[in-house]
């Protein structure tokens, strides 16, 4: 395992609310407050932000796996911690700010984010779950927004991702009625890429991680970037961005290898 040199990044052994591993091209983040349903308090948010920054800044990381420990993926923001704070507004402002920096880093990093939803994903937990570039869920997983049940509104990027994934009407239904979706329903709605048996989740996620660990990081990073900006661009602006990105890929070592492997009728060996 490598340690990130950037000042302020926690050593892997220093994490208490997440488990963090980095082995070669794959980094793994596990939300690790199982006795609190992996609820997101300030301590967990701080560690998630630091791990996300690590993955974003370390060029050797090609794939990040995010999952939860225990029966829950995450029940979202820790409401008990909110209630115990002297100033609830200030507490939530700080918590949301930290979480949002983590979400932004995971979205904008060159590495792919694979989310393995091992159980209930509620509130900000659901926001994190659907933010993956690839999302695999266990059959027992469930998804609910739950914010308005406690008089709050969504955070964690849900209002960005959900309309793009499933459209405005379905997003309104999830956010206003707090409907709970089973894993099968979430797959049907377009929130997930795959549902597997509970006992198969870890292997399914690991298989995906290994597959993309040998893939072209630059190409995958460009896919992420193109999709992030596509709704902001006119057609011509997006075409220009596509042209710039594919040119950059073609000039890279991975692009040269991919083209050579295709014409040579062999499997590519990406960096």
């Amino acid at each position: 395992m490598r340690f990130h040199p950037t000042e302020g990044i926690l050593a892997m052994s220093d994490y208490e609310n997440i488990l963090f591993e980095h082995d070669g091209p794959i980094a793994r983040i596990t939300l690790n407050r199982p006795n609190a349903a992996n609820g997101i308090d300030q301590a967990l948010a701080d560690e998630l932000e630091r791990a996300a920054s690590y993955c974003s800044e370390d060029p050797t990381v090609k794939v990040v796996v995010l999952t939860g420990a225990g029966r829950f993926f995450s029940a979202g923001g820790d409401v008990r911690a909110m209630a115990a704070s002297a100033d609830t507004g200030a507490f939530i402002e700080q918590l949301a700010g930290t979480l949002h920096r983590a979400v932004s880093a995971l979205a904008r990093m060159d590495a792919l984010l694979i989310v393995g939803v091992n159980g209930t994903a509620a509130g900000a937990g659901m926001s994190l779950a659907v933010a993956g570039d690839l999302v695999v869920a266990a059959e027992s997983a469930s998804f609910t927004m739950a914010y308005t049940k406690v008089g709050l509104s969504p955070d964690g990027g849900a209002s960005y991702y959900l309309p793009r994934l499933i459209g405005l009407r379905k997003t309104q239904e999830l956010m206003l009625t707090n409907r709970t979706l089973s894993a099968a329903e979430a797959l049907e709605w377009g929130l997930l890429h795959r549902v597997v048996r509970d006992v198969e989740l870890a292997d399914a996620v690991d298989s995906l991680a290994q597959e993309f660990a040998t893939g072209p990081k630059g190409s995958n990073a460009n896919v992420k970037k193109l999709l992030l900006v596509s709704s902001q661009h006119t057609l011509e602006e997006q075409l220009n961005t596509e042209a710039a990105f594919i040119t950059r890929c073609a000039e890279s070592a991975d692009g040269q290898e991919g083209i050579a492997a295709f014409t040579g009728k062999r499997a590519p060996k990406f960096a």
Side-chain angles (χ1 to χ4, degrees):
M1 290 186 180
R2 300 179 66 255
F3 289 83
H4 201 285
T6 303
E7 184 178 356
I9 299 296
L10 286 172
M12 294 182 189
S13 60
D14 289 337
Y15 290 100
E16 297 179 356
N17 299 277
I18 67 171
L19 302 176
F20 183 47
E21 302 172 85
H22 176 197
D23 186 7
I26 301 174
R28 303 176 189 275
I29 302 171
T30 304
L31 308 177
N32 192 37
R33 298 184 69 213
N35 294 331
N38 294 326
I40 303 170
D41 62 0
Q42 189 60 48
L44 188 149
D46 285 339
E47 293 183 13
L48 182 61
E49 181 194 1
R50 294 180 185 186
S53 296
Y54 176 107
C55 295
S56 178
E57 295 170 14
D58 192 308
T60 68
V61 178
K62 297 174 75 173
V63 181
V64 178
V65 173
L66 174 65
T67 192
R71 297 187 302 109
F72 286 78
F73 175 74
S74 173
D78 190 329
V79 179
R80 288 185 175 85
M82 296 175 194
S85 64
D87 185 335
T88 306
F91 177 91
I92 292 180
E93 181 179 23
Q94 180 181 4
L95 179 60
T98 306
L99 175 63
H100 290 174
R101 288 191 293 273
V103 169
S104 179
L106 292 171
R108 297 191 180 280
M109 66 184 178
D110 287 348
L112 288 182
L113 176 63
I114 301 175
V115 180
V117 188
N118 55 296
T120 297
M126 181 173 175
S127 300
L128 279 177
V130 302
D133 298 306
L134 293 166
V135 185
V136 183
E139 284 179 332
S140 64
S142 61
F143 301 81
T144 183
M145 282 274 89
Y147 286 94
T148 61
K149 283 185 176 181
V150 292
L152 300 176
S153 56
D155 66 349
S159 62
Y160 177 89
Y161 283 110
L162 287 180
R164 287 163 173 77
L165 291 169
I166 62 177
L168 178 61
R169 287 293 180 237
K170 288 182 177 179
T171 298
Q172 289 168 325
E173 181 175 356
L174 288 180
M175 290 185 174
L176 294 173
T177 73
N178 299 304
R179 174 176 174 173
T180 296
L181 298 180
S182 67
E185 289 172 322
L187 178 64
E188 182 180 353
W189 279 39
L191 289 169
L192 313 176
H193 295 93
R194 188 184 307 172
V195 174
V196 299
R197 293 191 303 158
D198 289 23
V199 296
E200 297 173 348
L201 180 64
D203 287 343
V205 170
D206 186 65
S207 178
L208 273 177
Q210 296 295 338
E211 176 184 348
F212 286 99
T214 59
K217 182 176 181 179
S219 295
N220 292 333
N222 281 353
V223 169
K224 291 183 64 165
K225 293 171 184 175
L226 284 168
L227 295 179
L228 273 176
V229 301
S230 63
S231 62
Q232 305 164 21
H233 283 176
T234 65
L235 170 61
E236 288 71 25
E237 288 170 335
Q238 191 70 3
L239 289 171
N240 288 337
T241 305
E242 287 181 349
F245 280 16
I246 195 172
T247 299
R248 190 182 309 163
C249 283
E251 294 172 344
S252 71
D254 278 348
Q256 295 291 313
E257 167 61 13
I259 293 169
F262 181 84
T263 56
K265 298 182 178 180
R266 59 175 175 83
K269 296 180 180 179
F270 296 116

